[in-house]
Amino acid sequence: MFVIPTIMTAEELLRKAFRRASKVQIRDPDYRFRMQKLNKAKVDSFASVIDTALERYVRAFPSFDNLPPFYIALIDLLEPIDDIKRMLGRLEGARKQVLSIQAKTVRQINRTAKPAYMDLKRNEAFGRISSMIKELDEDLKHLNVVREKLKQLPSIPTSHPTIVVAGYPSVGKSQLVKMMSTADPKVASYPFTTQELTVGYFEENRTRYQIVDTPGLLDRPFEKRNNVEKQAILALTLLSNTCIFMVDPTGHCGYTIEPQLELMESIADSVPEMDLILVINKSDMELPEGVDKDSIRRAAEKLGDRIVRTVEVSAASGEGLEELREVVMKTLIMHEEKPWENFG
Ligand SMILES: Nc1nc2c(ncn2[C@@H]2O[C@H](COP(=O)(O)OP(=O)(O)OP(=O)(O)O)[C@@H](O)[C@H]2O)c(=O)[nH]1
Ligand SMILES: [Mg+2]
């Protein structure tokens, strides 16, 4: 998602600048002019290595104020954005100071006829710039760590109507995303789960709809989550307004229906921004004794209008998926909040 070049440490950066400055050569038969040109050129090349590197680093980071809220929320979890901004601000400040030391030193060298004074001024400039860069070392190292973290961010478009899929393990979430997608689902990393998010797409009336499978995120009661996980889940609400909550009433997933319905309530309570579509999966299979679909529907009715619809499907055979697709599109479009319209 965010491609940022490797950030050199202060020592590496200075070594590069000194190496570049030491290679400068000037031809001029006049000794004084030669020394003048040589010293100016060395200062210029030294400063320019640092100027270029620092400018490149600052520019490579995203401009945080223009990012979609989904990414702002995720980045903020990985590393407080205010801290990143402060570090980048110090890099930018140092860069400007380097340029002003450079300009001042060149003027001083221009104004003197004494080669010894030129050397002195050049060395002074090198010294001042070096100590400034050394002071930046901690920021440079830290930004390199931030860079690694930003690399883990998922690349999920924020401009398509989006629905997320929740439910206990093995209820058939991935199967559903696969069956509902017309194109090959994409895989995106999500820094807060060991698994990767699968993102599927289908198109209707020239609109591209996005379905996000959330393994390891929305498959346990919200209350049992640590803070970072909670925030990571809430970030999904900045992408979507509706969640497919899938249950498997057959027990083949390894869980009875009761804890599954409790999880649904827990998500409805803890994530008030999200409406839910209850999907009862594996309609091609027998129900165990004592379980019937009407009682599941009744449990859903307890949640009132937070459950916009209940649909029975078989993600394996495809039964009910046409209806589900219609429900998904309508729900996304009718919802007041449309996160994907805020940012292109
Ligand atoms: N008979 C039947 N099997 C299904 C159906 N949907 C999914 N399955 C099977 O159920 C198992 C679990 O399906 P997955 O799609 O991997 O479930 P999941 O919810 O993504 O599981 P996790 O990623 O572990 O959370 C697989 O063996 C699927 O083939 C269905 O409608 N009918
Ligand atoms: Mg899965």
Side-chain angles (χ1 to χ4, degrees), residues 55-80:
E55 184 174 34
R56 199 157 82 102
Y57 300 156
V58 172
R59 281 217 192 153
F61 279 83
S63 97
F64 295 102
D65 296 326
N66 299 326
L67 281 180
F70 170 68
Y71 284 106
I72 293 184
L74 289 188
I75 294 174
D76 225 10
L77 273 180
L78 293 171
E79 187 78 30

PDB file of all heavy atoms in Angstrom, residues 55-80:
ATOM      1  N   GLU A  55      14.486  14.992   1.887  1.00  0.00           N
ATOM      2  CA  GLU A  55      13.283  15.363   1.152  1.00  0.00           C
ATOM      3  C   GLU A  55      12.549  14.118   0.644  1.00  0.00           C
ATOM      4  O   GLU A  55      11.324  14.029   0.696  1.00  0.00           O
ATOM      5  CB  GLU A  55      13.629  16.280  -0.022  1.00  0.00           C
ATOM      6  CG  GLU A  55      12.360  16.738  -0.721  1.00  0.00           C
ATOM      7  CD  GLU A  55      12.599  17.761  -1.815  1.00  0.00           C
ATOM      8  OE1 GLU A  55      13.643  17.679  -2.490  1.00  0.00           O
ATOM      9  OE2 GLU A  55      11.727  18.635  -1.980  1.00  0.00           O
ATOM     10  N   ARG A  56      13.327  13.154   0.191  1.00  0.00           N
ATOM     11  CA  ARG A  56      12.738  11.921  -0.318  1.00  0.00           C
ATOM     12  C   ARG A  56      11.981  11.183   0.792  1.00  0.00           C
ATOM     13  O   ARG A  56      10.881  10.684   0.577  1.00  0.00           O
ATOM     14  CB  ARG A  56      13.851  11.031  -0.866  1.00  0.00           C
ATOM     15  CG  ARG A  56      13.387   9.958  -1.815  1.00  0.00           C
ATOM     16  CD  ARG A  56      14.540   9.529  -2.712  1.00  0.00           C
ATOM     17  NE  ARG A  56      15.368   8.563  -2.019  1.00  0.00           N
ATOM     18  CZ  ARG A  56      15.323   7.245  -2.241  1.00  0.00           C
ATOM     19  NH1 ARG A  56      14.474   6.769  -3.125  1.00  0.00           N
ATOM     20  NH2 ARG A  56      16.101   6.424  -1.598  1.00  0.00           N
ATOM     21  N   TYR A  57      12.576  11.145   1.972  1.00  0.00           N
ATOM     22  CA  TYR A  57      11.919  10.437   3.074  1.00  0.00           C
ATOM     23  C   TYR A  57      10.597  11.105   3.433  1.00  0.00           C
ATOM     24  O   TYR A  57       9.566  10.452   3.581  1.00  0.00           O
ATOM     25  CB  TYR A  57      12.803  10.392   4.325  1.00  0.00           C
ATOM     26  CG  TYR A  57      14.132   9.695   4.120  1.00  0.00           C
ATOM     27  CD1 TYR A  57      15.230   9.971   4.930  1.00  0.00           C
ATOM     28  CD2 TYR A  57      14.280   8.760   3.094  1.00  0.00           C
ATOM     29  CE1 TYR A  57      16.442   9.333   4.736  1.00  0.00           C
ATOM     30  CE2 TYR A  57      15.495   8.127   2.893  1.00  0.00           C
ATOM     31  CZ  TYR A  57      16.571   8.421   3.705  1.00  0.00           C
ATOM     32  OH  TYR A  57      17.768   7.799   3.504  1.00  0.00           O
ATOM     33  N   VAL A  58      10.659  12.433   3.570  1.00  0.00           N
ATOM     34  CA  VAL A  58       9.446  13.147   3.998  1.00  0.00           C
ATOM     35  C   VAL A  58       8.336  12.970   2.963  1.00  0.00           C
ATOM     36  O   VAL A  58       7.185  12.709   3.290  1.00  0.00           O
ATOM     37  CB  VAL A  58       9.750  14.643   4.234  1.00  0.00           C
ATOM     38  CG1 VAL A  58       8.470  15.417   4.493  1.00  0.00           C
ATOM     39  CG2 VAL A  58      10.712  14.804   5.414  1.00  0.00           C
ATOM     40  N   ARG A  59       8.714  13.055   1.704  1.00  0.00           N
ATOM     41  CA  ARG A  59       7.708  12.935   0.635  1.00  0.00           C
ATOM     42  C   ARG A  59       7.134  11.551   0.515  1.00  0.00           C
ATOM     43  O   ARG A  59       6.010  11.366   0.047  1.00  0.00           O
ATOM     44  CB  ARG A  59       8.352  13.273  -0.708  1.00  0.00           C
ATOM     45  CG  ARG A  59       8.468  14.739  -0.889  1.00  0.00           C
ATOM     46  CD  ARG A  59       8.219  15.052  -2.337  1.00  0.00           C
ATOM     47  NE  ARG A  59       8.608  16.419  -2.592  1.00  0.00           N
ATOM     48  CZ  ARG A  59       8.997  16.854  -3.755  1.00  0.00           C
ATOM     49  NH1 ARG A  59       9.060  16.017  -4.768  1.00  0.00           N
ATOM     50  NH2 ARG A  59       9.307  18.102  -3.905  1.00  0.00           N
ATOM     51  N   ALA A  60       7.931  10.547   0.882  1.00  0.00           N
ATOM     52  CA  ALA A  60       7.490   9.161   0.680  1.00  0.00           C
ATOM     53  C   ALA A  60       6.364   8.778   1.630  1.00  0.00           C
ATOM     54  O   ALA A  60       5.569   7.899   1.330  1.00  0.00           O
ATOM     55  CB  ALA A  60       8.670   8.208   0.856  1.00  0.00           C
ATOM     56  N   PHE A  61       6.290   9.464   2.771  1.00  0.00           N
ATOM     57  CA  PHE A  61       5.201   9.142   3.694  1.00  0.00           C
ATOM     58  C   PHE A  61       3.896   9.722   3.162  1.00  0.00           C
ATOM     59  O   PHE A  61       3.904  10.778   2.526  1.00  0.00           O
ATOM     60  CB  PHE A  61       5.523   9.687   5.092  1.00  0.00           C
ATOM     61  CG  PHE A  61       6.442   8.782   5.850  1.00  0.00           C
ATOM     62  CD1 PHE A  61       7.819   8.846   5.645  1.00  0.00           C
ATOM     63  CD2 PHE A  61       5.950   7.832   6.724  1.00  0.00           C
ATOM     64  CE1 PHE A  61       8.676   7.987   6.313  1.00  0.00           C
ATOM     65  CE2 PHE A  61       6.791   6.971   7.395  1.00  0.00           C
ATOM     66  CZ  PHE A  61       8.159   7.051   7.191  1.00  0.00           C
ATOM     67  N   PRO A  62       2.791   9.035   3.411  1.00  0.00           N
ATOM     68  CA  PRO A  62       1.522   9.550   2.882  1.00  0.00           C
ATOM     69  C   PRO A  62       1.171  10.880   3.544  1.00  0.00           C
ATOM     70  O   PRO A  62       1.616  11.139   4.659  1.00  0.00           O
ATOM     71  CB  PRO A  62       0.509   8.475   3.279  1.00  0.00           C
ATOM     72  CG  PRO A  62       1.147   7.704   4.377  1.00  0.00           C
ATOM     73  CD  PRO A  62       2.617   7.786   4.171  1.00  0.00           C
ATOM     74  N   SER A  63       0.434  11.699   2.841  1.00  0.00           N
ATOM     75  CA  SER A  63       0.008  12.943   3.481  1.00  0.00           C
ATOM     76  C   SER A  63      -1.227  12.605   4.308  1.00  0.00           C
ATOM     77  O   SER A  63      -2.299  12.336   3.795  1.00  0.00           O
ATOM     78  CB  SER A  63      -0.230  14.029   2.443  1.00  0.00           C
ATOM     79  OG  SER A  63      -1.577  14.099   2.131  1.00  0.00           O
ATOM     80  N   PHE A  64      -1.010  12.544   5.606  1.00  0.00           N
ATOM     81  CA  PHE A  64      -1.986  11.922   6.498  1.00  0.00           C
ATOM     82  C   PHE A  64      -3.347  12.601   6.477  1.00  0.00           C
ATOM     83  O   PHE A  64      -4.357  11.967   6.713  1.00  0.00           O
ATOM     84  CB  PHE A  64      -1.424  11.862   7.918  1.00  0.00           C
ATOM     85  CG  PHE A  64      -0.216  10.972   8.008  1.00  0.00           C
ATOM     86  CD1 PHE A  64       1.062  11.503   8.069  1.00  0.00           C
ATOM     87  CD2 PHE A  64      -0.363   9.597   7.997  1.00  0.00           C
ATOM     88  CE1 PHE A  64       2.171  10.683   8.126  1.00  0.00           C
ATOM     89  CE2 PHE A  64       0.741   8.764   8.056  1.00  0.00           C
ATOM     90  CZ  PHE A  64       2.018   9.309   8.119  1.00  0.00           C
ATOM     91  N   ASP A  65      -3.355  13.895   6.189  1.00  0.00           N
ATOM     92  CA  ASP A  65      -4.644  14.589   6.248  1.00  0.00           C
ATOM     93  C   ASP A  65      -5.570  14.201   5.098  1.00  0.00           C
ATOM     94  O   ASP A  65      -6.770  14.409   5.181  1.00  0.00           O
ATOM     95  CB  ASP A  65      -4.419  16.103   6.263  1.00  0.00           C
ATOM     96  CG  ASP A  65      -3.673  16.505   7.525  1.00  0.00           C
ATOM     97  OD1 ASP A  65      -3.905  15.850   8.568  1.00  0.00           O
ATOM     98  OD2 ASP A  65      -2.859  17.440   7.463  1.00  0.00           O
ATOM     99  N   ASN A  66      -5.000  13.651   4.044  1.00  0.00           N
ATOM    100  CA  ASN A  66      -5.845  13.321   2.885  1.00  0.00           C
ATOM    101  C   ASN A  66      -6.180  11.845   2.774  1.00  0.00           C
ATOM    102  O   ASN A  66      -6.753  11.415   1.783  1.00  0.00           O
ATOM    103  CB  ASN A  66      -5.137  13.749   1.595  1.00  0.00           C
ATOM    104  CG  ASN A  66      -4.904  15.238   1.578  1.00  0.00           C
ATOM    105  OD1 ASN A  66      -5.720  15.985   2.102  1.00  0.00           O
ATOM    106  ND2 ASN A  66      -3.792  15.664   1.025  1.00  0.00           N
ATOM    107  N   LEU A  67      -5.775  11.068   3.770  1.00  0.00           N
ATOM    108  CA  LEU A  67      -6.023   9.626   3.678  1.00  0.00           C
ATOM    109  C   LEU A  67      -7.455   9.289   4.060  1.00  0.00           C
ATOM    110  O   LEU A  67      -8.054   9.956   4.886  1.00  0.00           O
ATOM    111  CB  LEU A  67      -5.098   8.887   4.637  1.00  0.00           C
ATOM    112  CG  LEU A  67      -3.663   8.669   4.212  1.00  0.00           C
ATOM    113  CD1 LEU A  67      -2.937   7.923   5.331  1.00  0.00           C
ATOM    114  CD2 LEU A  67      -3.592   7.876   2.926  1.00  0.00           C
ATOM    115  N   PRO A  68      -7.995   8.213   3.480  1.00  0.00           N
ATOM    116  CA  PRO A  68      -9.315   7.752   3.909  1.00  0.00           C
ATOM    117  C   PRO A  68      -9.276   7.399   5.401  1.00  0.00           C
ATOM    118  O   PRO A  68      -8.273   6.891   5.890  1.00  0.00           O
ATOM    119  CB  PRO A  68      -9.539   6.485   3.075  1.00  0.00           C
ATOM    120  CG  PRO A  68      -8.637   6.611   1.914  1.00  0.00           C
ATOM    121  CD  PRO A  68      -7.455   7.405   2.374  1.00  0.00           C
ATOM    122  N   PRO A  69     -10.384   7.668   6.111  1.00  0.00           N
ATOM    123  CA  PRO A  69     -10.432   7.421   7.552  1.00  0.00           C
ATOM    124  C   PRO A  69     -10.061   5.989   7.946  1.00  0.00           C
ATOM    125  O   PRO A  69      -9.478   5.774   9.002  1.00  0.00           O
ATOM    126  CB  PRO A  69     -11.893   7.706   7.923  1.00  0.00           C
ATOM    127  CG  PRO A  69     -12.424   8.525   6.812  1.00  0.00           C
ATOM    128  CD  PRO A  69     -11.606   8.275   5.590  1.00  0.00           C
ATOM    129  N   PHE A  70     -10.379   5.051   7.080  1.00  0.00           N
ATOM    130  CA  PHE A  70     -10.022   3.657   7.359  1.00  0.00           C
ATOM    131  C   PHE A  70      -8.516   3.518   7.568  1.00  0.00           C
ATOM    132  O   PHE A  70      -8.043   2.913   8.530  1.00  0.00           O
ATOM    133  CB  PHE A  70     -10.484   2.779   6.190  1.00  0.00           C
ATOM    134  CG  PHE A  70      -9.989   1.355   6.228  1.00  0.00           C
ATOM    135  CD1 PHE A  70     -10.426   0.472   7.201  1.00  0.00           C
ATOM    136  CD2 PHE A  70      -9.093   0.894   5.260  1.00  0.00           C
ATOM    137  CE1 PHE A  70      -9.981  -0.848   7.230  1.00  0.00           C
ATOM    138  CE2 PHE A  70      -8.648  -0.422   5.274  1.00  0.00           C
ATOM    139  CZ  PHE A  70      -9.085  -1.293   6.259  1.00  0.00           C
ATOM    140  N   TYR A  71      -7.740   4.116   6.681  1.00  0.00           N
ATOM    141  CA  TYR A  71      -6.287   4.020   6.799  1.00  0.00           C
ATOM    142  C   TYR A  71      -5.754   4.848   7.950  1.00  0.00           C
ATOM    143  O   TYR A  71      -4.803   4.459   8.624  1.00  0.00           O
ATOM    144  CB  TYR A  71      -5.622   4.404   5.469  1.00  0.00           C
ATOM    145  CG  TYR A  71      -5.756   3.287   4.472  1.00  0.00           C
ATOM    146  CD1 TYR A  71      -6.644   3.379   3.411  1.00  0.00           C
ATOM    147  CD2 TYR A  71      -5.051   2.107   4.648  1.00  0.00           C
ATOM    148  CE1 TYR A  71      -6.804   2.314   2.530  1.00  0.00           C
ATOM    149  CE2 TYR A  71      -5.208   1.043   3.777  1.00  0.00           C
ATOM    150  CZ  TYR A  71      -6.073   1.155   2.720  1.00  0.00           C
ATOM    151  OH  TYR A  71      -6.230   0.113   1.863  1.00  0.00           O
ATOM    152  N   ILE A  72      -6.369   6.003   8.183  1.00  0.00           N
ATOM    153  CA  ILE A  72      -5.941   6.819   9.325  1.00  0.00           C
ATOM    154  C   ILE A  72      -6.091   6.007  10.611  1.00  0.00           C
ATOM    155  O   ILE A  72      -5.188   5.961  11.447  1.00  0.00           O
ATOM    156  CB  ILE A  72      -6.761   8.123   9.387  1.00  0.00           C
ATOM    157  CG1 ILE A  72      -6.395   8.984   8.172  1.00  0.00           C
ATOM    158  CG2 ILE A  72      -6.510   8.875  10.690  1.00  0.00           C
ATOM    159  CD1 ILE A  72      -7.043  10.330   8.133  1.00  0.00           C
ATOM    160  N   ALA A  73      -7.232   5.330  10.742  1.00  0.00           N
ATOM    161  CA  ALA A  73      -7.481   4.549  11.964  1.00  0.00           C
ATOM    162  C   ALA A  73      -6.458   3.427  12.106  1.00  0.00           C
ATOM    163  O   ALA A  73      -5.928   3.196  13.200  1.00  0.00           O
ATOM    164  CB  ALA A  73      -8.898   3.983  11.938  1.00  0.00           C
ATOM    165  N   LEU A  74      -6.160   2.744  11.016  1.00  0.00           N
ATOM    166  CA  LEU A  74      -5.204   1.639  11.101  1.00  0.00           C
ATOM    167  C   LEU A  74      -3.788   2.133  11.394  1.00  0.00           C
ATOM    168  O   LEU A  74      -3.082   1.569  12.223  1.00  0.00           O
ATOM    169  CB  LEU A  74      -5.198   0.823   9.799  1.00  0.00           C
ATOM    170  CG  LEU A  74      -6.424  -0.038   9.500  1.00  0.00           C
ATOM    171  CD1 LEU A  74      -6.151  -0.919   8.290  1.00  0.00           C
ATOM    172  CD2 LEU A  74      -6.809  -0.903  10.693  1.00  0.00           C
ATOM    173  N   ILE A  75      -3.377   3.189  10.707  1.00  0.00           N
ATOM    174  CA  ILE A  75      -2.016   3.706  10.926  1.00  0.00           C
ATOM    175  C   ILE A  75      -1.873   4.169  12.367  1.00  0.00           C
ATOM    176  O   ILE A  75      -0.894   3.876  13.043  1.00  0.00           O
ATOM    177  CB  ILE A  75      -1.693   4.864   9.955  1.00  0.00           C
ATOM    178  CG1 ILE A  75      -1.661   4.341   8.517  1.00  0.00           C
ATOM    179  CG2 ILE A  75      -0.362   5.510  10.307  1.00  0.00           C
ATOM    180  CD1 ILE A  75      -1.501   5.418   7.473  1.00  0.00           C
ATOM    181  N   ASP A  76      -2.886   4.860  12.847  1.00  0.00           N
ATOM    182  CA  ASP A  76      -2.849   5.368  14.201  1.00  0.00           C
ATOM    183  C   ASP A  76      -2.682   4.245  15.231  1.00  0.00           C
ATOM    184  O   ASP A  76      -2.104   4.447  16.290  1.00  0.00           O
ATOM    185  CB  ASP A  76      -4.140   6.143  14.486  1.00  0.00           C
ATOM    186  CG  ASP A  76      -3.844   7.464  15.181  1.00  0.00           C
ATOM    187  OD1 ASP A  76      -2.663   7.855  15.261  1.00  0.00           O
ATOM    188  OD2 ASP A  76      -4.802   8.093  15.653  1.00  0.00           O
ATOM    189  N   LEU A  77      -3.195   3.075  14.885  1.00  0.00           N
ATOM    190  CA  LEU A  77      -3.051   1.925  15.781  1.00  0.00           C
ATOM    191  C   LEU A  77      -1.625   1.384  15.761  1.00  0.00           C
ATOM    192  O   LEU A  77      -1.105   0.918  16.756  1.00  0.00           O
ATOM    193  CB  LEU A  77      -3.980   0.802  15.324  1.00  0.00           C
ATOM    194  CG  LEU A  77      -5.394   0.826  15.857  1.00  0.00           C
ATOM    195  CD1 LEU A  77      -6.168  -0.349  15.300  1.00  0.00           C
ATOM    196  CD2 LEU A  77      -5.350   0.749  17.368  1.00  0.00           C
ATOM    197  N   LEU A  78      -1.017   1.429  14.583  1.00  0.00           N
ATOM    198  CA  LEU A  78       0.342   0.918  14.448  1.00  0.00           C
ATOM    199  C   LEU A  78       1.347   1.878  15.061  1.00  0.00           C
ATOM    200  O   LEU A  78       2.329   1.471  15.659  1.00  0.00           O
ATOM    201  CB  LEU A  78       0.677   0.720  12.965  1.00  0.00           C
ATOM    202  CG  LEU A  78      -0.103  -0.367  12.221  1.00  0.00           C
ATOM    203  CD1 LEU A  78       0.186  -0.295  10.733  1.00  0.00           C
ATOM    204  CD2 LEU A  78       0.274  -1.735  12.757  1.00  0.00           C
ATOM    205  N   GLU A  79       1.083   3.169  14.891  1.00  0.00           N
ATOM    206  CA  GLU A  79       2.010   4.205  15.348  1.00  0.00           C
ATOM    207  C   GLU A  79       1.218   5.519  15.367  1.00  0.00           C
ATOM    208  O   GLU A  79       0.639   5.891  14.362  1.00  0.00           O
ATOM    209  CB  GLU A  79       3.153   4.314  14.321  1.00  0.00           C
ATOM    210  CG  GLU A  79       4.276   5.215  14.719  1.00  0.00           C
ATOM    211  CD  GLU A  79       5.228   4.572  15.726  1.00  0.00           C
ATOM    212  OE1 GLU A  79       5.387   3.334  15.696  1.00  0.00           O
ATOM    213  OE2 GLU A  79       5.787   5.310  16.538  1.00  0.00           O
ATOM    214  N   PRO A  80       1.185   6.194  16.510  1.00  0.00           N
ATOM    215  CA  PRO A  80       0.375   7.417  16.544  1.00  0.00           C
ATOM    216  C   PRO A  80       0.780   8.391  15.433  1.00  0.00           C
ATOM    217  O   PRO A  80       1.961   8.722  15.291  1.00  0.00           O
ATOM    218  CB  PRO A  80       0.687   7.999  17.928  1.00  0.00           C
ATOM    219  CG  PRO A  80       1.111   6.822  18.743  1.00  0.00           C
ATOM    220  CD  PRO A  80       1.793   5.874  17.798  1.00  0.00           C
TER     221      PRO A  80
END
